Amino acid sequence: MKRIGILGDIGSGKTYIAKCFGFPVFNADFVVAKIYKNNKKVFQKLKKELPSYFDSFPVKKKQIIDAILSNRKNLKRIIKIVHHEVRIKMNDFLRKNKHKKLVILDIPLLLENKINKKKDILIFVESNKSEILKRLKKRKNFNMEIVNNFKKIQLSLVLKRKKSQFIIKNNFKKNSVKIRVKEIIKNLI
């Protein structure tokens, strides 16, 4: 099984591109949302660490946003609590899919949290900044301050690009992305 890590800027289309591969995808954002909704143990830890923000279960997006906006250090505290559970879910996913030729890791902090392995194939998604911003603004609960806080804890895009074995230029047109994904798959299998 080859592990492919998808890297890129927030809103660059990483999740869409991950799905285009047609192999099992571990989507960390989806897993985190499920953890907030279903995991009382995580809620208890958040409540203990940040009691003035987390007072009711399930954890709501507004609670997370309020905690992050009041103090940037809260983002790291939240990640530290949630990350452990995400890693457990990822390991379950990898065990379940160990006989697949490829698995796709759509994990925003893949490198930052040292989740990647040396043999992982890294793919950088390159997108136009103004197009990214336009797409981000369409998202429900879009908040530029939250986006900027996340960017501050991420490695630079230049470094992520440099560490990647493949680049996919996402112009947000499906055909060009799908052609590039097919070329990469052909190269890997």
Side-chain angles (χ1 to χ4, degrees):
M1 168 186 62
K2 291 183 180 177
R3 295 168 29 140
I4 296 177
I6 307 290
L7 309 175
D9 203 356
I10 295 168
S12 62
K14 296 181 299 291
T15 299
Y16 171 74
I17 287 170
K19 290 176 188 172
C20 286
F21 277 85
F23 287 91
V25 175
F26 180 80
N27 180 320
D29 287 342
F30 177 74
V31 170
V32 167
K34 279 179 76 174
I35 289 169
Y36 287 141
K37 187 178 176 187
N38 303 320
N39 192 317
K40 281 194 174 181
K41 188 172 76 174
V42 167
F43 165 70
Q44 293 298 339
K45 288 178 183 178
L46 288 169
K47 186 177 179 175
K48 185 178 178 186
E49 185 72 27
L50 300 162
S52 47
Y53 301 101
F54 299 98
D55 56 1
S56 64
F57 182 80
V59 175
K60 291 162 197 65
K61 215 170 198 145
K62 182 169 176 16
Q63 294 170 316
I64 300 159
I65 290 168
D66 290 347
I68 294 168
L69 291 179
S70 74
N71 184 341
R72 203 175 63 193
K73 290 178 183 171
N74 288 345
L75 175 58
K76 288 185 179 182
R77 293 161 130 175
I78 293 166
I79 288 170
K80 189 176 178 188
I81 292 166
V82 176
H83 176 258
H84 175 71
E85 294 297 319
V86 172
R87 196 177 281 266
I88 290 169
K89 298 285 185 198
M90 184 191 77
N91 288 334
D92 290 346
F93 167 84
L94 292 171
R95 258 189 307 282
K96 191 176 113 191
N97 292 290
K98 68 182 176 190
H99 298 296
K100 303 287 184 187
K101 288 182 181 179
L102 300 173
V103 293
I104 315 301
L105 303 176
D106 179 9
I107 304 173
L109 299 173
L110 181 74
L111 300 180
E112 293 82 351
N113 285 333
K114 296 172 179 56
I115 298 170
N116 62 306
K117 301 231 190 264
K118 251 191 165 86
K119 288 186 188 177
D120 286 357
I121 295 134
L122 301 176
I123 298 173
F124 183 78
V125 178
E126 191 171 78
S127 303
N128 177 290
K129 296 264 183 239
S130 61
E131 191 63 35
I132 289 173
L133 188 59
K134 194 165 73 178
R135 291 168 48 80
L136 282 174
K137 286 180 178 178
K138 291 178 185 175
R139 288 185 181 178
K140 189 181 171 204
N141 296 321
F142 169 76
N143 183 313
M144 197 61 206
E145 197 174 341
I146 294 285
V147 170
N148 288 333
N149 279 335
F150 272 101
K151 284 185 178 194
K152 285 175 186 167
I153 64 166
Q154 292 184 345
L155 295 171
S156 78
L157 295 176
V158 172
L159 181 65
K160 288 181 178 186
R161 191 181 200 284
K162 193 175 171 182
K163 287 184 172 280
S164 298
Q165 289 88 344
F166 297 95
I167 310 291
I168 294 179
K169 291 187 189 305
N170 186 8
N171 58 5
F172 301 102
K173 299 205 176 7
K174 291 179 183 179
N175 276 351
S176 62
V177 166
K178 286 183 177 178
I179 289 167
R180 182 67 177 131
V181 166
K182 282 181 184 175
E183 288 170 358
I184 293 170
I185 291 171
K186 201 169 155 182
N187 195 303
L188 295 175
I189 295 180

